[in-house]
Amino acid sequence: MSTHISAKKGDIAETVLMPGDPLRAKWIAETFLKNPVCYNNVRGMLGYTGVFKNKRVSVQGSGMGIPSAMIYYNELITEYEVKNIIRVGSSGSFRNDVRLKDIVLAMSASTTSAINNNRFPNAHFAPTANFELLMNAVEYAKNHNINIKAGNVLSTDEFYEENPDSYKNWANYGILCAEMETAGLYTIAAKYNVKALAILTISDSLVTGEHTSAPERETTFNEMSRIALNIA
């Protein structure tokens, strides 16, 4: 067992899907995996391993925000030898052409977090996706007529910004949407030379004010989950 995951060695597959919400992890496991087994409920952060198309796959909640998520990224990689991490998360659109329930592939992740300040003093590391996973996701979406958008996203430390219009400056530089974990994932994946990709579903729009309900965010992001399960 690691500090925050109660699984034994071998309980977790080499490929792990990671939503922030542990209830979404439970839903993905019970909806898509054969014979899912819960290997973790420490702090309510549920984790499951099952089989998808004859391949073992795990699904693990990460919590909200880079500090929480990086605990799980680190332990999964260093303690359980995970090789592929695919974040499946919700995000808020910054643009009119990125609409509710659209799927975004995060090619890179800008951030308001200070996560890399100590790693790279007086410099800025650019967290980026694994090219192979990214192209696999693009190809799968194309072959299954799933519309996707790909580009730079913002991993923010604050859900409730002091300035509600601050997103506009990011949008002017091509940022598609905001979420809270991807920059941390891509940084840790780079450090340990594992593959990582964030696949995001737009759950709300800062432009129009539209939003999905909490139950919808837990249970209706089917296409994002199918892409993730079929590419690793």
Side-chain angles (χ1 to χ4, degrees), residues 25-99:
K26 181 176 186 289
W27 176 80
I28 292 171
E30 293 179 347
T31 302
F32 294 103
L33 303 185
K34 291 183 180 179
N35 304 317
V37 175
C38 181
Y39 61 75
N40 186 64
N41 61 9
V42 176
R43 295 175 177 251
M45 202 57 65
L46 300 172
Y48 298 83
T49 296
V51 176
F52 181 80
K53 293 185 177 179
N54 299 317
K55 182 178 180 179
R56 292 179 78 236
V57 177
S58 295
V59 188
Q60 171 67 56
S62 71
M64 286 191 287
I66 288 174
S68 174
M70 287 186 74
I71 290 172
Y72 295 94
Y73 302 151
N74 268 287
E75 293 184 14
L76 288 169
I77 294 168
T78 62
E79 301 290 335
Y80 296 100
E81 299 180 351
V82 168
K83 303 300 183 186
N84 308 291
I85 297 179
I86 304 172
R87 166 160 158 66
V88 282
S90 56
S91 58
S93 171
F94 281 1
R95 296 159 54 105
N96 273 315
D97 60 341
V98 182
R99 299 180 177 86

Side-chain angles (χ1 to χ4, degrees), residues 183-205:
L185 170 59
Y186 289 178
T187 295
I188 291 301
K191 176 180 178 180
Y192 291 108
N193 194 31
V194 302
K195 298 177 182 178
L197 176 67
I199 305 174
L200 308 169
T201 299
I202 300 298
S203 60
D204 57 276
S205 172

